[in-house]
Structures are given as structure tokens and as C-alpha cells.
Amino acid sequence: MLDTLEAQSPDALLALIKMYAADERADKIDLGVGVYRTDDGATPVFRSIKQAEQRLLDTQDSKSYLGPEGDTGFVSGLMPYIFGSDDPDMGGRIGGMQTPGGTGAVRLAVSLAKQAGARRVHMGSPSWPNHVQILGDVGMEPVLFDHANPDGSANVDALIAAIESAEPTDVVLLHACCHNPTGVDYTQGEWERIAAALVANGVLPIIDSAYHGLGEGMEEDVAGMRTALAAVPEALIAYSCDKNFGMYRDRVGAFYVMARDGGQLDAIMSNANALARANWSMPPDHGGAAIRLILNDDALVQDWQDELTDMRARLRWVRETLAAADNRVPGLDLAPLSSQHGLFAILKLGKDQIAKMRADHGIYMAGSGRINAAGLTSSNIDKFIDALADVTAG
Ligand code: LMR
């Protein structure tokens, strides 16, 4: 039976990690998979996580099962940061559960929407490549529209048109902030238009928040999403702690439902629990437990926030430096990078130019032209700009 399986090409982003590792050049630059890096090129464990993990090691007295919902203290502890400290459960309308990473949360959101009758998902293109893979795997049809305008701003008109054209069994997938792969986010005014269109057309949003805190700030990065949530009757939210707690390989995420009224939450969450049980039974505990300890300790929260503030400042420096180098690379428009957010940006390079970046300069970026800005440091950013000038010359 198994000989009927045809070989699949490896995930392009993950394949890039291997290609980079095999390159022996000392001055190679990795701008591929989305991990944060310091100016020394390291991806350290957060100081607050180290302390919380030590505390966990000292105090955890059982690893017995918790259940499909995972660590409920972790799930509720994040809610003030996501939904606001004034009313973190939006009047008792929000329920949530822990998931294996943001990917698990996206999978759960899409599966639950399907179980509720959804068939198609409107989404901006490009998007995180795994979004389309998850939709295909769950049996949902993606309906694509252009996410960004050629000038590097968001094409909100295309999104509004998609919402207005939606059929009753359609949902829409939105990125909360730090859009992956473009870095192009909606402005607050655009979120207000989006919220009004969702309400007018009765379309359920699935909002993916994978980079909370890496854009403008903890409050700023979710302001648009909160505007939408304040307007729409119901929503599904996928949340990742991979980047903003640096927990990548520990796979820490959360899935939230905002229901029309609190009375519906039990029924909705019982479906989410059943889907989780069939998919992964229970989420891995360690990362969620460590984050719960941070969220319950004011000093650790402060240290976590301080580290995020430093990360944002570094990403801003990379973006400003690239934008200021616009005139050194006449073949590319680098100026919009300063008004975009998060780890990623798309550079309009052709396949040959991306291959030349790799072959001639040892610079690894996704085939889409996406760069992970965090891979650029004070010691390699000049080399990168010169390489861009080289591959775009003539
Ligand atoms: C990325 O887009 O690079 C990250 O979200 C990592 C991943 O899992 O693809």
C-alpha cells in the first residue's frame, strides 16, 4: 500500500535551514526561517523563561495528564495581553485552550470553522505558506486576494471586496500584526473598515496572531484586532508564543473563541476539545507551564517585556538601516521597509537573483523573496546591501 505514495518536495523554508547549515562560508547570512536573532546572531532563551523553567524544575511534582485544554492558567494569563486588561474575557464571551504552537491553533480554528459549516477561506496572498497547506489538509478551499499594493501598503480594498463577495459558508483569515511574509499591516483606520465590512456581511474572522509584541508594542500590535473583536459577534483567534517568548521548539500556542454570548461557549469549546483530542490529544505542557509562571510574577513579566522592547528596537534599527540604504540599491524599493512591521519583508527579487544571492554571496532567503530582518546585524548588514546592489545591477 505504501508504495502508492509519491514523494513530496520538502517544505521550502525548512529545506533552507539545511542548505544554510551545509554552507561552509564563514560570512554566510541566514535570512530564512522566522526566528529572532540578537546583534550577535544568537537566538537565546529569554531570561524570564530560564528563571521560570528553573522554578518549574524545582516545584513541579507531577507530569500526569492535564486534558486537551492544557494549562488553563497559561491560557487565561495571556488573555489580558491579547484582549485587554479591562475586560479580558469580553463579558464572559471568550473561551480558550492551549495548543501545540500557533500552528496547532490555526489548525484547530480552521477545523472548528469547517465543523461549523465553513467551506472556503478568503485570505490575502502571499501568506505564511503553511496556511494554505493546513487548509488543504483540513479540506477547506482557499480564496486568494492580493494582500499588498505595489507601493508596499496593504491592499485593504481587495480584502473588503473579498468580504463583500463572501458566501454564507465563507470565512476570512487575517493576520493580527507583523504580517508574514510581507510585514505589511493594516492601519487602525483600515481595521475599522474591515470590522464594519465583517459585521455588514456577517463573515466570521479567523485571526492569526503569531508576532504579538514584535511590531510597535504589546498594545499597539493588537489594537486593530481588538477593533474587529469589539464589532463582530464571533471570532476565532490563533495565538503563538513561539516568537514573543522565544519558545519555538517547545511549541506553545493558544486557541480562543469569542462567542456571540457566553452561554454558547461550552458547546463550542466541547467541539474544540474533541478536535484537539483526535489530533494531538493534549498539548505539550512544559512551555505553557513556564509562561504561566512568568505571567503570575510581576518581576518576570517586566523582564519579559524589557526583552521584547529590546527586540523591537533592534528590528526597527534593521528596517531603518535598510530603508536608508534605498539609494545604494537602485534596482529595489527599500524605503517602505521602515513603515512595515515585524521580522519579515518581501524584496522584489527574481528567482535568478535569489539564487545568485545564495551562490555568490552566501545569503539565504525564502524563494518568495522574503527576508527575516532579524538575521541582519551591525556586522553583516553592509555586506547584505552590497549583495543586493550586485544582484540587481544592470
Ligand atoms: C516562518 O514563517 O518562518 C515561521 O513561522 C516558522 C515556520 O514554522 O514556518
Side-chain angles (χ1 to χ4, degrees):
M1 178 187 276
L2 300 183
D3 55 6
T4 59
L5 293 174
E6 285 176 24
Q8 301 212 18
S9 38
D11 182 280
L13 266 178
L14 303 185
L16 212 56
I17 299 177
K18 287 198 177 144
M19 281 169 74
Y20 175 79
D23 190 327
E24 286 175 1
R25 283 171 283 189
D27 62 347
K28 61 187 176 178
I29 304 177
D30 180 8
L31 307 179
V33 75
V35 294
Y36 178 79
R37 294 210 179 82
T38 63
D39 197 52
D40 298 327
T43 305
V45 180
F46 276 47
R47 296 181 299 263
S48 53
I49 288 286
K50 274 278 181 208
Q51 286 197 47
E53 285 181 317
Q54 188 58 54
R55 217 176 275 177
L56 199 58
L57 198 66
D58 294 341
T59 59
Q60 192 171 50
D61 50 15
S62 174
K63 287 193 181 284
S64 174
Y65 293 126
L66 285 180
E69 60 274 54
D71 188 317
T72 53
F74 154 77
V75 175
S76 60
L78 283 173
M79 286 168 62
Y81 297 95
I82 307 173
F83 304 109
S85 48
D86 289 348
D87 187 12
D89 69 357
M90 316 240 343
R93 289 166 58 215
I94 295 199
M97 61 196 293
Q98 190 183 342
T99 56
T103 306
V106 171
R107 169 118 201 165
L108 196 50
V110 171
S111 304
L112 189 74
K114 184 168 186 217
Q115 192 141 311
R119 293 292 170 263
R120 303 195 309 172
V121 180
H122 293 268
M123 55 183 281
S125 175
S127 193
W128 182 44
N130 210 17
H131 278 151
V132 166
Q133 290 188 172
I134 291 170
L135 295 186
D137 209 39
V138 170
M140 290 270 255
E141 186 190 336
V143 186
L144 304 180
F145 57 87
D146 287 338
H147 173 67
N149 291 310
D151 68 0
S153 61
N155 188 347
V156 70
D157 292 336
L159 167 59
I160 302 281
I163 294 171
E164 287 174 350
S165 75
E167 293 170 8
T169 52
D170 290 355
V171 299
V172 63
L173 175 64
L174 301 168
H175 297 228
C177 68
C178 305
H179 184 269
N180 181 3
T182 64
V184 175
D185 289 341
Y186 299 116
T187 63
Q188 185 56 28
E190 288 169 343
W191 273 106
E192 281 159 26
R193 282 184 65 199
I194 296 164
L198 290 169
V199 172
N201 296 277
V203 179
L204 174 79
I206 298 176
I207 307 180
D208 186 3
S209 175
Y211 298 89
H212 185 191
L214 273 79
E216 293 282 324
M218 287 299 285
E219 289 291 300
E220 294 86 339
D221 288 356
V222 285
M225 174 172 79
R226 285 186 196 163
T227 298
L229 294 181
V232 297
E234 47 186 19
L236 305 176
I237 299 103
Y239 192 87
S240 172
C241 297
D242 285 1
K243 320 289 183 324
N244 62 0
F245 284 91
M247 295 301 273
Y248 311 93
R249 68 177 71 158
D250 278 325
R251 314 305 303 137
V252 196
F255 164 72
Y256 296 95
V257 174
M258 186 183 79
R260 266 173 212 277
D261 73 70
Q264 297 175 330
L265 271 183
D266 281 352
I268 297 169
M269 290 309 294
S270 71
N271 281 272
N273 270 21
L275 285 166
R277 177 76 169 139
N279 271 297
W280 51 75
S281 184
M282 298 168 206
D285 173 68
H286 174 84
I291 291 174
R292 169 174 45 77
L293 293 181
I294 293 176
L295 298 177
N296 287 329
D297 181 316
D298 289 346
L300 290 183
V301 165
Q302 188 57 52
D303 197 49
W304 165 52
Q305 288 297 311
D306 288 348
E307 222 162 328
L308 267 180
T309 302
D310 290 348
M311 291 163 73
R312 274 197 300 278
R314 210 186 90 64
L315 289 173
R316 179 105 323 266
W317 172 82
V318 172
R319 288 184 170 281
E320 301 290 351
T321 306
L322 290 178
D326 193 47
N327 57 357
R328 284 171 59 190
V329 191
L332 275 183
D333 187 10
L334 296 176
L337 267 77
S338 67
S339 56
Q340 298 166 358
H341 300 116
L343 293 183
F344 304 120
I346 292 265
L347 303 183
K348 291 197 183 106
L349 295 173
K351 288 214 174 326
D352 291 350
Q353 292 168 321
I354 293 168
K356 197 163 158 37
M357 289 290 277
R358 202 159 57 223
D360 294 2
H361 301 283
I363 297 175
Y364 290 74
M365 52 199 286
S368 60
R370 186 188 85 168
I371 57 163
N372 169 18
L376 293 169
T377 67
S378 49
S379 44
N380 70 18
I381 198 162
D382 264 322
K383 172 188 152 107
F384 175 67
I385 293 164
D386 288 344
L388 286 179
D390 175 43
V391 303
T392 56

